[in-house]
Amino acid sequence: MRAALLHQHGGTPRCAEFDEPSERADGVVVDVSAAGLHHLDLLKASGTYYTGPPPLPSVVGSDGVGRLPDGKRVYFDRTVPPHGSMCERTLVSPEAMFELADGVSDVVAAALGNTGLAAWLALDWRAGLRSGETVLVLGATGAVGTIAVQAARVLGAGRVVAAALADERLLRVRELGPDAVVEIDRVDDLTDALRAAAPGGIDVTIDLLWGKPGLAAMGAAARFARHVEVGSVAAGDLVAPAALLRSLSLEVRGFSVAHPPIEVRREGYLRVTEHAARGDLTVDVEPVALEGIADAWESQRRAEGGAKRVIITDAAVRSEARAPS
């Protein structure tokens, strides 16, 4: 079968032939149609991720959408090494399969896996967002950020503020309907700009940047606010004055999409795909054939942004052709 194969840790996977998986006690064969390409995949392939280096050679990819032998469509977020998700068929742990809503395409469902779950659960499970609260999405132009802007509204936020660099991707974020947009590289004082955008203070920050932008956001927080660290695009470190945290009783919470209980992840993913099927959540996708994995991988490495890259097989093409118009 065709697969995106990694032969060197930190290298670039290439499309090549790989042995077909066989069903066994700890794995079910899934015909893969689509697999999201995430920064997480690059981290795992580097050999330095905390889960340990993958075997060589192995198929890259963390999650995807496909069909079981009985034809049932599933999303999966874990495979049995050396099988990953970016291939025609893979081996999936039975407990790692999720239900997804009817009416959402395989490609969109794959794009909403790691990315959509991260945005949804950071708000709902980790931040405990309450109806009417003000949410700041710091780094709103990334894949997780654009979903978080929409998910905040779906989950009942009273005010949504999107903050990011002033580039062409911010135009797309404006179309998603935030109440205020802050261009973080075009303001003299980011804390003042965020306070102006959220006059009552920020209750929940979904922080994909960290560093100086994260500290500035803490300065605009409301009392008892929750600052959820999801990413660190701006910097790996942040030094916060003790008085700032203490004066607001501000909570700083780390978040990884791998940590919520499996039942929480299953329920969250089903809700995300239900809202996508209804049009409440949208995601721009760039389908890439397996043969294009090397170029897509390097684009992801350069953090070029834009549409969510989804690696597709011939099964995805057939699925889209069968979908009702």
Side-chain angles (χ1 to χ4, degrees):
M1 69 170 185
R2 293 177 307 146
L5 282 185
L6 182 74
H7 287 278
Q8 179 183 356
H9 294 141
T12 300
R14 308 282 175 177
C15 183
E17 290 294 315
F18 194 63
D19 293 340
E20 294 269 356
S22 298
E23 189 161 328
R24 60 196 209 194
D26 63 343
V28 177
V29 175
V30 174
D31 287 323
V32 181
S33 57
L37 175 55
H38 316 296
H39 187 62
L40 173 65
D41 299 316
L42 275 68
L43 288 175
K44 288 183 175 180
S46 72
T48 62
Y49 195 58
Y50 74 90
T51 54
L56 296 175
S58 63
V59 181
V60 296
S62 304
D63 64 349
V65 173
R67 281 163 178 76
L68 300 177
D70 63 4
K72 181 180 179 180
R73 188 171 67 141
V74 295
Y75 165 75
F76 57 90
D77 73 347
R78 188 167 70 257
T79 60
V80 179
H83 304 284
S85 60
M86 298 180 190
C87 55
E88 293 180 308
R89 280 165 294 283
T90 192
L91 200 61
V92 176
S93 303
E95 67 273 13
M97 292 185 286
F98 295 22
E99 180 183 0
L100 62 159
D102 294 332
V104 61
S105 73
D106 291 2
V107 174
V108 169
L112 289 171
N114 182 281
T115 298
L117 263 182
W120 186 272
L121 295 181
L123 286 160
D124 187 40
W125 179 77
R126 195 69 180 107
L129 176 63
R130 296 184 285 269
S131 179
E133 290 189 314
T134 294
V135 172
L136 166 66
V137 180
L138 191 59
T141 52
V144 175
T146 55
I147 298 298
V149 169
Q150 301 170 77
R153 187 75 73 202
V154 172
L155 286 164
R159 185 171 181 81
V160 180
V161 179
L165 296 175
D167 59 28
E168 66 277 2
R169 294 176 296 170
L170 199 54
L171 297 175
R172 167 59 176 149
V173 173
R174 291 181 185 274
E175 295 173 355
L176 300 176
D179 297 287
V181 173
V182 176
E183 299 175 340
I184 64 176
D185 52 337
R186 292 186 178 176
V187 296
D188 295 328
D189 188 306
L190 181 54
T191 296
D192 285 347
L194 292 173
R195 285 172 176 160
I202 297 162
D203 300 299
V204 170
T205 293
I206 300 301
D207 187 353
L208 297 143
L209 301 182
W210 204 233
K212 290 182 178 178
L215 182 59
M218 291 179 186
R223 186 166 293 173
F224 307 119
R226 289 88 71 206
H227 189 110
V228 183
E229 195 280 319
V230 181
S232 52
V233 174
D237 297 311
L238 182 157
V239 179
L244 171 63
L245 304 184
R246 190 170 59 250
S247 64
L248 297 173
S249 290
L250 176 65
E251 292 186 51
V252 179
R253 304 179 180 181
F255 172 78
S256 166
V257 72
H259 292 163
I262 185 66
E263 297 81 6
V264 172
R265 299 205 309 275
R266 284 201 178 106
E267 173 64 20
Y269 183 72
L270 181 58
R271 291 187 66 189
V272 165
T273 55
E274 286 173 344
H275 284 291
R278 292 199 290 263
D280 301 330
L281 297 176
T282 63
V283 56
D284 295 329
V285 296
E286 178 188 346
V288 179
L290 265 173
E291 291 78 6
I293 180 59
D295 288 342
W297 192 271
E298 290 305 312
S299 294
Q300 188 74 23
R301 197 194 300 274
R302 292 190 296 270
E304 293 179 348
K308 181 68 178 178
R309 298 175 188 88
V310 177
I311 309 303
I312 62 171
T313 68
D314 291 342
V317 177
R318 294 193 297 271
S319 174
E320 295 300 316
R322 292 195 302 266
S325 58

